[in-house]
Structure formats: C-alpha cells, structure tokens
Amino acid sequence: MNKPHIVILGAGYGGMMTASKLQRTMHMNEAEITLVNKNDYHYQATWLHENAAGTLHPDRTKIKIKDIINSRKVNIVLDEVISIKPEEKIVKLANSELKYDVLVIGLGFESATFGIPGLEENALMINNINSARLVREHLEYNFANYHNELEKNNARLNIVIGGGGFTGIEFAGELINRIPELCAEYDIEKTQVRVIVVEGAPTILPGFDEELVEYAVNSLSARGVEFINGAMLKECNTDSIVYEKDGKLTEIPTMTTVWAAGVKANSIVEQSGFSTNRGKVEVRKDMRTPDYDDVFVIGDCALIMNEQTGRPYPPTAQIAIQESGTVAHNVRASVRGEELQSFEPNLLGTIASLGHDDAIAEVFGRKLFGWKATVMKKMSDNRYLLKLGGIGLLVKKGKFNIFY
C-alpha cells in the first residue's frame, strides 16, 4: 500500500514550522512529506525592512532550508508553484507536477496596488529578500548619482514611503537611522534628504494604542521623518508621486517610492478555484478550506475571523507560527484517522520596531517604549529561531545586542 503524500507549498513561517513539526512527530513509514519552495532558503520576513534600509545583510535574514529540514524525512523540491487543481489533487509546478493526499498551502502574500496608476511599474516593494535588496541598491544608486549630475536633482534624495502601517513605519525607522551613514559616504548634507510617509488613515499604525502611536510619531519626527496623514496616493511616476489630501492634489518630486500600504494573499489561491473572501480562504476551525477536507491553508493565505471584534486576525508571523501547531497536528491526525483540533489564536502582544535601538510594544497588557520594547522585539525574534532550529540556529542567527 502506498504511503499518503503530504505536500506543503511554501517555506514561510507557517510552511517551515509545519514541515519541521511533521518531521519530528511522524514516522518515515507513515507518510511521504514534500516541501515545495522557490528558493533554497527560508527567511525572517520581519527583518526585511532592515535589509531594505541596508542595516542588515541579507545573509543574516536567510536560513537554509536544508539546515532545518532533514532531507531523509522530507523531500525538498525547489520549484515554482503555477497552479493547484484540488479536484484532481494535483499541484502544477514550473518543471513538474505533484500528486497529493493532503495539501498545506502557505504561499505567502503579494503587494496590493489597488489600481493606482504607475504604482506597479515605478514603486519598489519589500516583499522578499530580492525586493529588499533592490530597495537598498536603489537608494545607494541615487545617493551616489546626486553629485554626478550637472544639475542637482533633489528628487534623488526625496524618499517616499507609501503606507504608515507596520512595514512602512519599521522601514522608516531603520532608514532614518542609516541616512547619516549614507550622507557621510556620499558627501551629502543630511538636511537635503527627506523621508516622507504618506498614510491614508488619520494617523500611522491604525488600530495601535494611541499613546504608543504618539511615541512613535515623536521619535521618528525627531530624527527627521515627515508624515502626511489622511492622504491617498493617486499616481506614481518615475520622478514624482501625486497624493490627494482634503480634496487637493499635491506632487512630490521623488525617484524612490517604497510601497508598503497593502498586501493580498498569493493570487494562485483564488485562481485555483478555492472559495475566497477578498482573495483569502476563510478556513474552518481546523484550518481546512470550506470546500476540501484534504487541503489546509496557513499564514497570509488564510483568513481567520476574530469573533469578538468581527474583524479578521492580522496575518502576522506570530499567527502563522501558532497556526503551524494546529495544522501539523491535524495533518498528522488526518493521516492516522484521528480527531482534528480547532485553532485558537493566543496573541501575546504586538511590537513595532522604530529602528535598531527603538521600538514600541504592547505585550501581556503592558505598554513598552524605547529600549525595553527593543529588547522584547529581539527576544521575540530569538524565540522563533529557537523553536524552528534549536540552540544551534539561535546562536548562528540570533540578535543578542540591542545596539548592534
């Protein structure tokens, strides 16, 4: 009798943790397990803003899949997912196809551009290692070229960040800390550089505690970040952006627009015919799709409603890591014919970095500011590394100095 085939799509937080848990808790003769990912590495998505600002090398953020996943227990397939055919239980890859008995979809997110003219063509994103590297190289290119042109072009030194949510604010904090280094390297006065956050809501970090938001605004403003709130981006060009505020259109000359104002689930999910809510699968309590008992969805592709607020839980790394425990248990249970569990989120808190030595946090009902929140951020990151790869990965990749 053939062993059931478990296929996990994506080596993000949810996919990697699920694969790691299954290889530890299932016997090799119980099932064949395959992990599919485009690249040979997993990465700390919560560190991408540092890669983009140029304050952390991408190699620190990357974690080789083979360092975590035992290839004798889990097949590692490096390929791109093209489509899923749930009726046929087939995953079509760029170079092959896989038949599955149980499928776990953890394909991550894409940027949502909301149809804003020129955004997809001209804006930079912070979606993965390569896009973050491109942001860093683009910034350095513009600084290097500022003195190499016959006429100084201030658009090269105006950096616009579209979106004042977590990604936008964490990038702004990291970037404003790096500006003095860039200015010293390229002989540019710091006062010539502008970092501008354009946010559609009345304030940055919508939904965050007001006192913590006020601290974040004051901290970033003191270092030179400008905020334009209640403003909607209307157009993104190669050398400018146009925003609307109070019915008035304003243009800012810029050759660097970093878009961080929206994400959506990987479009493959919706294109494959799964029932979706705004592109995500509104999973059952046990993390399965509404339509198929053999398909689980995790991370950015899954929508889980908070019954108390009537709103979806935010698709954070914390949620994805917690989901992996339930998904791994239920995948194993479905193979063994055992009872499935329901997923119950246990939000431990929320932390937003404002640069490598500053942060805000709301954890265990307490508000933390500055270095105390920074310590909590580093502890959270290190805790994940320990859970994923043990003490060896923690020693190799962990952050232990808050002033690194």
Side-chain angles (χ1 to χ4, degrees):
M1 182 177 178
N2 291 332
K3 292 185 291 186
H5 190 195
I6 301 166
V7 175
I8 303 167
L9 304 181
Y13 287 107
M16 274 292 282
M17 287 295 290
T18 300
S20 177
K21 290 173 187 293
L22 288 176
Q23 76 174 2
R24 293 197 302 266
T25 59
M26 293 192 76
H27 300 297
M28 293 176 66
N29 60 357
E30 280 190 278
E32 181 183 1
I33 305 172
T34 298
L35 174 63
V36 180
N37 199 56
K38 188 175 180 180
N39 301 302
D40 66 351
Y41 57 83
H42 163 69
Y43 58 84
Q44 281 272 50
T46 56
W47 293 358
L48 288 177
H49 64 282
E50 299 174 61
N51 303 143
T55 55
L56 185 70
H57 196 279
D59 286 348
R60 281 290 306 281
T61 305
K62 290 181 180 179
I63 300 170
K64 288 286 188 181
I65 293 175
K66 66 180 183 180
D67 290 345
I68 306 299
I69 301 301
N70 185 341
S71 59
R72 289 177 298 175
K73 296 182 177 180
V74 177
N75 305 315
I76 301 170
V77 175
L78 302 181
D79 208 340
E80 183 178 1
V81 178
I82 301 300
S83 65
I84 304 165
K85 298 179 179 179
E87 294 287 351
E88 302 171 46
K89 296 189 177 186
I90 289 175
V91 176
K92 183 170 176 52
L93 308 177
N95 299 300
S96 63
E97 65 178 34
L98 296 170
K99 290 276 291 182
Y100 67 82
D101 295 289
V102 181
L103 181 67
V104 178
I105 301 174
L107 289 172
F109 69 87
E110 302 172 354
S111 289
T113 57
F114 307 112
I116 298 172
L119 196 62
E120 193 166 344
E121 297 83 2
N122 300 316
L124 299 161
M125 316 286 180
I126 307 178
N127 292 347
N128 51 50
I129 290 282
N130 290 329
S131 64
R133 184 188 286 114
L134 187 61
V135 172
R136 185 199 74 219
E137 292 175 351
H138 179 87
L139 288 166
E140 293 173 354
Y141 175 83
N142 279 321
F143 272 73
N145 270 279
Y146 181 70
H147 287 305
N148 290 335
E149 296 173 315
L150 294 177
E151 293 185 19
K152 299 293 188 292
N153 185 355
N154 285 332
R156 289 198 181 277
L157 304 181
N158 292 343
I159 303 161
V160 173
I161 301 171
F166 270 83
T167 302
I169 293 306
E170 291 194 320
F171 175 61
E174 207 67 32
L175 177 62
I176 202 67
N177 279 4
R178 180 150 188 246
I179 292 301
E181 176 190 326
L182 288 169
C183 289
E185 183 173 355
Y186 297 106
D187 300 317
I188 293 170
E189 289 291 329
K190 184 175 180 294
T191 54
Q192 294 178 273
V193 181
R194 297 177 67 192
V195 176
I196 307 158
V197 176
V198 179
E199 167 58 41
T203 180
I204 63 167
L205 298 172
F208 220 94
D209 178 86
E210 290 183 11
E211 188 179 2
L212 294 175
V213 171
E214 183 180 3
Y215 175 90
V217 170
N218 291 338
S219 173
L220 294 171
S221 297
R223 285 178 270 158
V225 178
E226 303 173 38
F227 295 97
I228 304 173
N229 296 329
M232 303 301 293
L233 198 66
K234 305 300 288 185
E235 189 177 341
C236 180
N237 306 304
T238 56
D239 57 0
S240 71
I241 60 105
V242 177
Y243 69 87
E244 182 179 6
K245 181 179 172 70
D246 299 327
K248 179 185 175 183
L249 294 177
T250 303
E251 186 172 19
I252 298 176
T254 178
M255 299 178 78
T256 305
T257 301
V258 179
W259 180 244
V263 297
K264 60 183 180 180
N266 192 307
S267 56
I268 289 172
V269 174
E270 190 167 25
Q271 291 168 3
S272 296
F274 293 102
S275 297
T276 57
N277 182 342
R278 297 183 182 180
K280 297 187 175 189
V281 176
E282 191 168 345
V283 293
R284 290 180 262 176
K285 289 283 189 180
D286 56 20
M287 301 299 297
R288 290 183 295 178
T289 70
D291 321 275
Y292 300 94
D293 290 342
D294 51 11
V295 181
F296 296 83
V297 186
I298 195 168
D300 294 294
C301 296
L303 183 135
I304 300 172
M305 296 300 295
N306 184 332
E307 294 177 358
Q308 293 182 334
T309 64
R311 297 172 58 85
Y313 284 100
T316 61
Q318 179 183 180
I319 285 281
I321 293 165
Q322 290 184 9
E323 289 169 350
S324 70
T326 300
V327 171
H329 175 277
N330 288 346
V331 166
R332 189 171 60 248
S334 64
V335 169
R336 295 174 178 173
E338 298 172 351
E339 186 176 350
L340 276 58
Q341 292 180 345
S342 294
F343 173 62
E344 297 293 340
N346 178 27
L347 299 185
L348 304 176
T350 310
I351 309 172
S353 169
L354 305 175
H356 65 264
D357 56 357
D358 198 7
I360 54 175
E362 192 170 9
V363 290
F364 307 118
R366 294 183 58 201
K367 300 175 190 177
L368 300 177
F369 308 83
W371 70 268
K372 290 182 180 179
T374 299
V375 170
M376 191 61 67
K377 168 71 171 167
K378 301 283 193 293
M379 287 176 59
S380 174
D381 292 339
N382 289 344
R383 182 170 177 264
Y384 169 67
L385 295 172
L386 186 63
K387 290 177 71 173
L388 179 65
I391 193 69
L393 182 63
L394 176 60
V395 170
K396 185 177 180 181
K397 296 287 185 177
K399 293 180 178 179
F400 303 103
N401 181 359
I402 71 167
F403 302 111
Y404 74 91

mmCIF file of all heavy atoms in Angstrom, residues 344-376:
data_model
loop_
_atom_site.group_PDB
_atom_site.id
_atom_site.type_symbol
_atom_site.label_atom_id
_atom_site.label_comp_id
_atom_site.label_asym_id
_atom_site.label_seq_id
_atom_site.Cartn_x
_atom_site.Cartn_y
_atom_site.Cartn_z
ATOM 1 N N GLU A 344 -6.992 28.004 18.067
ATOM 2 C CA GLU A 344 -7.365 29.091 18.961
ATOM 3 C C GLU A 344 -6.184 30.058 19.059
ATOM 4 O O GLU A 344 -5.181 29.753 19.702
ATOM 5 C CB GLU A 344 -7.720 28.564 20.358
ATOM 6 C CG GLU A 344 -8.936 27.645 20.395
ATOM 7 C CD GLU A 344 -10.237 28.361 20.067
ATOM 8 O OE1 GLU A 344 -10.262 29.603 20.181
ATOM 9 O OE2 GLU A 344 -11.208 27.677 19.692
ATOM 10 N N PRO A 345 -6.283 31.227 18.416
ATOM 11 C CA PRO A 345 -5.175 32.186 18.493
ATOM 12 C C PRO A 345 -4.919 32.634 19.924
ATOM 13 O O PRO A 345 -5.859 32.781 20.717
ATOM 14 C CB PRO A 345 -5.662 33.359 17.636
ATOM 15 C CG PRO A 345 -6.755 32.805 16.793
ATOM 16 C CD PRO A 345 -7.388 31.718 17.586
ATOM 17 N N ASN A 346 -3.663 32.834 20.241
ATOM 18 C CA ASN A 346 -3.272 33.327 21.565
ATOM 19 C C ASN A 346 -2.279 34.468 21.355
ATOM 20 O O ASN A 346 -1.064 34.266 21.386
ATOM 21 C CB ASN A 346 -2.646 32.209 22.394
ATOM 22 C CG ASN A 346 -2.185 32.688 23.758
ATOM 23 O OD1 ASN A 346 -2.732 33.649 24.308
ATOM 24 N ND2 ASN A 346 -1.175 32.039 24.309
ATOM 25 N N LEU A 347 -2.811 35.665 21.095
ATOM 26 C CA LEU A 347 -1.953 36.800 20.783
ATOM 27 C C LEU A 347 -1.208 37.252 22.030
ATOM 28 O O LEU A 347 -1.812 37.652 23.024
ATOM 29 C CB LEU A 347 -2.793 37.954 20.219
ATOM 30 C CG LEU A 347 -3.544 37.649 18.913
ATOM 31 C CD1 LEU A 347 -4.232 38.888 18.394
ATOM 32 C CD2 LEU A 347 -2.586 37.105 17.861
ATOM 33 N N LEU A 348 0.108 37.172 21.956
ATOM 34 C CA LEU A 348 0.944 37.520 23.105
ATOM 35 C C LEU A 348 1.255 39.002 23.162
ATOM 36 O O LEU A 348 1.709 39.501 24.189
ATOM 37 C CB LEU A 348 2.251 36.717 23.047
ATOM 38 C CG LEU A 348 2.079 35.193 22.977
ATOM 39 C CD1 LEU A 348 3.428 34.519 22.817
ATOM 40 C CD2 LEU A 348 1.369 34.686 24.218
ATOM 41 N N GLY A 349 1.019 39.698 22.067
ATOM 42 C CA GLY A 349 1.305 41.122 22.040
ATOM 43 C C GLY A 349 1.675 41.592 20.646
ATOM 44 O O GLY A 349 1.696 40.806 19.692
ATOM 45 N N THR A 350 1.958 42.869 20.537
ATOM 46 C CA THR A 350 2.314 43.476 19.260
ATOM 47 C C THR A 350 3.532 44.364 19.452
ATOM 48 O O THR A 350 3.585 45.150 20.411
ATOM 49 C CB THR A 350 1.152 44.330 18.719
ATOM 50 O OG1 THR A 350 -0.051 43.556 18.761
ATOM 51 C CG2 THR A 350 1.410 44.748 17.288
ATOM 52 N N ILE A 351 4.497 44.240 18.557
ATOM 53 C CA ILE A 351 5.737 45.010 18.662
ATOM 54 C C ILE A 351 6.038 45.634 17.311
ATOM 55 O O ILE A 351 5.955 44.969 16.288
ATOM 56 C CB ILE A 351 6.926 44.123 19.083
ATOM 57 C CG1 ILE A 351 6.589 43.305 20.330
ATOM 58 C CG2 ILE A 351 8.171 44.976 19.328
ATOM 59 C CD1 ILE A 351 7.641 42.277 20.697
ATOM 60 N N ALA A 352 6.395 46.911 17.318
ATOM 61 C CA ALA A 352 6.806 47.597 16.092
ATOM 62 C C ALA A 352 8.170 48.235 16.320
ATOM 63 O O ALA A 352 8.349 49.026 17.249
ATOM 64 C CB ALA A 352 5.781 48.659 15.694
ATOM 65 N N SER A 353 9.125 47.880 15.486
ATOM 66 C CA SER A 353 10.464 48.462 15.560
ATOM 67 C C SER A 353 10.442 49.878 14.987
ATOM 68 O O SER A 353 9.774 50.152 13.993
ATOM 69 C CB SER A 353 11.443 47.592 14.778
ATOM 70 O OG SER A 353 12.679 48.240 14.626
ATOM 71 N N LEU A 354 11.208 50.776 15.609
ATOM 72 C CA LEU A 354 11.356 52.151 15.109
ATOM 73 C C LEU A 354 12.813 52.435 14.778
ATOM 74 O O LEU A 354 13.281 53.564 14.835
ATOM 75 C CB LEU A 354 10.868 53.158 16.164
ATOM 76 C CG LEU A 354 9.443 52.973 16.683
ATOM 77 C CD1 LEU A 354 9.148 53.957 17.799
ATOM 78 C CD2 LEU A 354 8.432 53.120 15.551
ATOM 79 N N GLY A 355 13.532 51.399 14.413
ATOM 80 C CA GLY A 355 14.975 51.486 14.234
ATOM 81 C C GLY A 355 15.614 50.462 15.160
ATOM 82 O O GLY A 355 14.968 49.946 16.068
ATOM 83 N N HIS A 356 16.900 50.193 14.959
ATOM 84 C CA HIS A 356 17.515 49.082 15.685
ATOM 85 C C HIS A 356 17.594 49.296 17.186
ATOM 86 O O HIS A 356 17.774 48.345 17.940
ATOM 87 C CB HIS A 356 18.908 48.796 15.118
ATOM 88 C CG HIS A 356 19.894 49.911 15.305
ATOM 89 N ND1 HIS A 356 20.145 50.839 14.335
ATOM 90 C CD2 HIS A 356 20.676 50.243 16.360
ATOM 91 C CE1 HIS A 356 21.042 51.703 14.770
ATOM 92 N NE2 HIS A 356 21.380 51.370 15.985
ATOM 93 N N ASP A 357 17.460 50.556 17.667
ATOM 94 C CA ASP A 357 17.572 50.804 19.102
ATOM 95 C C ASP A 357 16.328 51.468 19.688
ATOM 96 O O ASP A 357 16.377 52.077 20.752
ATOM 97 C CB ASP A 357 18.805 51.675 19.396
ATOM 98 C CG ASP A 357 18.778 52.992 18.626
ATOM 99 O OD1 ASP A 357 17.836 53.204 17.827
ATOM 100 O OD2 ASP A 357 19.705 53.803 18.812
ATOM 101 N N ASP A 358 15.200 51.358 18.980
ATOM 102 C CA ASP A 358 13.963 51.970 19.452
ATOM 103 C C ASP A 358 12.782 51.139 18.965
ATOM 104 O O ASP A 358 12.834 50.538 17.884
ATOM 105 C CB ASP A 358 13.852 53.412 18.928
ATOM 106 C CG ASP A 358 12.855 54.249 19.706
ATOM 107 O OD1 ASP A 358 12.337 53.759 20.736
ATOM 108 O OD2 ASP A 358 12.590 55.395 19.297
ATOM 109 N N ALA A 359 11.723 51.111 19.751
ATOM 110 C CA ALA A 359 10.548 50.320 19.382
ATOM 111 C C ALA A 359 9.388 50.681 20.296
ATOM 112 O O ALA A 359 9.552 51.379 21.305
ATOM 113 C CB ALA A 359 10.858 48.817 19.493
ATOM 114 N N ILE A 360 8.212 50.209 19.941
ATOM 115 C CA ILE A 360 7.037 50.281 20.803
ATOM 116 C C ILE A 360 6.437 48.882 20.879
ATOM 117 O O ILE A 360 6.533 48.103 19.931
ATOM 118 C CB ILE A 360 5.983 51.291 20.288
ATOM 119 C CG1 ILE A 360 5.592 50.990 18.838
ATOM 120 C CG2 ILE A 360 6.477 52.716 20.451
ATOM 121 C CD1 ILE A 360 4.465 51.862 18.300
ATOM 122 N N ALA A 361 5.825 48.573 22.017
ATOM 123 C CA ALA A 361 5.271 47.230 22.182
ATOM 124 C C ALA A 361 4.101 47.263 23.159
ATOM 125 O O ALA A 361 4.056 48.083 24.074
ATOM 126 C CB ALA A 361 6.350 46.276 22.696
ATOM 127 N N GLU A 362 3.178 46.350 22.900
ATOM 128 C CA GLU A 362 2.085 46.099 23.833
ATOM 129 C C GLU A 362 2.057 44.598 24.055
ATOM 130 O O GLU A 362 1.592 43.841 23.205
ATOM 131 C CB GLU A 362 0.762 46.599 23.250
ATOM 132 C CG GLU A 362 -0.369 46.635 24.251
ATOM 133 C CD GLU A 362 -1.596 47.361 23.735
ATOM 134 O OE1 GLU A 362 -1.626 47.700 22.529
ATOM 135 O OE2 GLU A 362 -2.519 47.587 24.532
ATOM 136 N N VAL A 363 2.623 44.162 25.180
ATOM 137 C CA VAL A 363 2.750 42.733 25.455
ATOM 138 C C VAL A 363 2.252 42.439 26.864
ATOM 139 O O VAL A 363 2.538 43.174 27.810
ATOM 140 C CB VAL A 363 4.216 42.261 25.305
ATOM 141 C CG1 VAL A 363 4.650 42.279 23.847
ATOM 142 C CG2 VAL A 363 5.170 43.119 26.125
ATOM 143 N N PHE A 364 1.498 41.354 26.968
ATOM 144 C CA PHE A 364 0.945 40.925 28.257
ATOM 145 C C PHE A 364 0.205 42.067 28.955
ATOM 146 O O PHE A 364 0.264 42.224 30.178
ATOM 147 C CB PHE A 364 2.051 40.373 29.168
ATOM 148 C CG PHE A 364 2.872 39.293 28.531
ATOM 149 C CD1 PHE A 364 4.233 39.465 28.318
ATOM 150 C CD2 PHE A 364 2.285 38.105 28.104
ATOM 151 C CE1 PHE A 364 4.997 38.471 27.720
ATOM 152 C CE2 PHE A 364 3.044 37.100 27.514
ATOM 153 C CZ PHE A 364 4.394 37.290 27.319
ATOM 154 N N GLY A 365 -0.465 42.907 28.142
ATOM 155 C CA GLY A 365 -1.241 44.004 28.696
ATOM 156 C C GLY A 365 -0.438 45.210 29.122
ATOM 157 O O GLY A 365 -0.991 46.176 29.673
ATOM 158 N N ARG A 366 0.855 45.203 28.871
ATOM 159 C CA ARG A 366 1.724 46.326 29.252
ATOM 160 C C ARG A 366 2.214 47.064 28.016
ATOM 161 O O ARG A 366 2.448 46.468 26.961
ATOM 162 C CB ARG A 366 2.933 45.828 30.048
ATOM 163 C CG ARG A 366 2.602 45.223 31.397
ATOM 164 C CD ARG A 366 3.889 44.834 32.118
ATOM 165 N NE ARG A 366 4.780 45.983 32.291
ATOM 166 C CZ ARG A 366 6.096 45.876 32.504
ATOM 167 N NH1 ARG A 366 6.670 44.679 32.531
ATOM 168 N NH2 ARG A 366 6.833 46.949 32.672
ATOM 169 N N LYS A 367 2.403 48.374 28.165
ATOM 170 C CA LYS A 367 2.961 49.192 27.099
ATOM 171 C C LYS A 367 4.449 49.404 27.369
ATOM 172 O O LYS A 367 4.843 49.765 28.474
ATOM 173 C CB LYS A 367 2.261 50.545 27.035
ATOM 174 C CG LYS A 367 0.772 50.482 26.785
ATOM 175 C CD LYS A 367 0.169 51.870 26.854
ATOM 176 C CE LYS A 367 -1.346 51.817 26.860
ATOM 177 N NZ LYS A 367 -1.946 53.166 27.010
ATOM 178 N N LEU A 368 5.250 49.176 26.329
ATOM 179 C CA LEU A 368 6.691 49.359 26.443
ATOM 180 C C LEU A 368 7.174 50.328 25.382
ATOM 181 O O LEU A 368 6.686 50.314 24.244
ATOM 182 C CB LEU A 368 7.420 48.017 26.299
ATOM 183 C CG LEU A 368 7.079 46.921 27.320
ATOM 184 C CD1 LEU A 368 7.832 45.643 26.973
ATOM 185 C CD2 LEU A 368 7.417 47.364 28.725
ATOM 186 N N PHE A 369 8.151 51.158 25.735
ATOM 187 C CA PHE A 369 8.702 52.146 24.819
ATOM 188 C C PHE A 369 10.226 52.022 24.791
ATOM 189 O O PHE A 369 10.841 51.574 25.757
ATOM 190 C CB PHE A 369 8.362 53.577 25.272
ATOM 191 C CG PHE A 369 6.906 53.831 25.551
ATOM 192 C CD1 PHE A 369 6.343 53.487 26.773
ATOM 193 C CD2 PHE A 369 6.104 54.424 24.597
ATOM 194 C CE1 PHE A 369 5.010 53.727 27.041
ATOM 195 C CE2 PHE A 369 4.765 54.672 24.853
ATOM 196 C CZ PHE A 369 4.218 54.319 26.078
ATOM 197 N N GLY A 370 10.821 52.456 23.681
ATOM 198 C CA GLY A 370 12.274 52.577 23.620
ATOM 199 C C GLY A 370 13.006 51.265 23.749
ATOM 200 O O GLY A 370 12.615 50.242 23.181
ATOM 201 N N TRP A 371 14.105 51.270 24.535
ATOM 202 C CA TRP A 371 14.989 50.113 24.581
ATOM 203 C C TRP A 371 14.306 48.891 25.184
ATOM 204 O O TRP A 371 14.626 47.760 24.820
ATOM 205 C CB TRP A 371 16.274 50.453 25.331
ATOM 206 C CG TRP A 371 16.121 50.651 26.811
ATOM 207 C CD1 TRP A 371 15.890 51.819 27.465
ATOM 208 C CD2 TRP A 371 16.190 49.627 27.817
ATOM 209 N NE1 TRP A 371 15.802 51.607 28.816
ATOM 210 C CE2 TRP A 371 15.991 50.274 29.069
ATOM 211 C CE3 TRP A 371 16.397 48.246 27.795
ATOM 212 C CZ2 TRP A 371 15.985 49.575 30.272
ATOM 213 C CZ3 TRP A 371 16.393 47.555 28.994
ATOM 214 C CH2 TRP A 371 16.190 48.215 30.220
ATOM 215 N N LYS A 372 13.359 49.098 26.099
ATOM 216 C CA LYS A 372 12.654 47.957 26.684
ATOM 217 C C LYS A 372 11.858 47.217 25.608
ATOM 218 O O LYS A 372 11.838 45.981 25.582
ATOM 219 C CB LYS A 372 11.725 48.424 27.807
ATOM 220 C CG LYS A 372 12.446 48.909 29.050
ATOM 221 C CD LYS A 372 11.457 49.298 30.133
ATOM 222 C CE LYS A 372 12.175 49.778 31.384
ATOM 223 N NZ LYS A 372 11.217 50.176 32.442
ATOM 224 N N ALA A 373 11.197 47.978 24.737
ATOM 225 C CA ALA A 373 10.458 47.353 23.638
ATOM 226 C C ALA A 373 11.408 46.701 22.642
ATOM 227 O O ALA A 373 11.099 45.655 22.060
ATOM 228 C CB ALA A 373 9.584 48.390 22.937
ATOM 229 N N THR A 374 12.578 47.313 22.451
ATOM 230 C CA THR A 374 13.582 46.739 21.553
ATOM 231 C C THR A 374 14.055 45.388 22.068
ATOM 232 O O THR A 374 14.204 44.427 21.304
ATOM 233 C CB THR A 374 14.784 47.690 21.406
ATOM 234 O OG1 THR A 374 14.339 48.929 20.849
ATOM 235 C CG2 THR A 374 15.844 47.097 20.495
ATOM 236 N N VAL A 375 14.300 45.295 23.371
ATOM 237 C CA VAL A 375 14.693 44.019 23.974
ATOM 238 C C VAL A 375 13.609 42.971 23.733
ATOM 239 O O VAL A 375 13.891 41.817 23.383
ATOM 240 C CB VAL A 375 14.960 44.192 25.478
ATOM 241 C CG1 VAL A 375 15.117 42.833 26.154
ATOM 242 C CG2 VAL A 375 16.211 45.026 25.707
ATOM 243 N N MET A 376 12.352 43.377 23.899
ATOM 244 C CA MET A 376 11.241 42.446 23.690
ATOM 245 C C MET A 376 11.181 41.983 22.230
ATOM 246 O O MET A 376 10.901 40.813 21.951
ATOM 247 C CB MET A 376 9.934 43.123 24.097
ATOM 248 C CG MET A 376 8.749 42.175 24.180
ATOM 249 S SD MET A 376 8.960 40.851 25.397
ATOM 250 C CE MET A 376 8.952 41.813 26.923
#
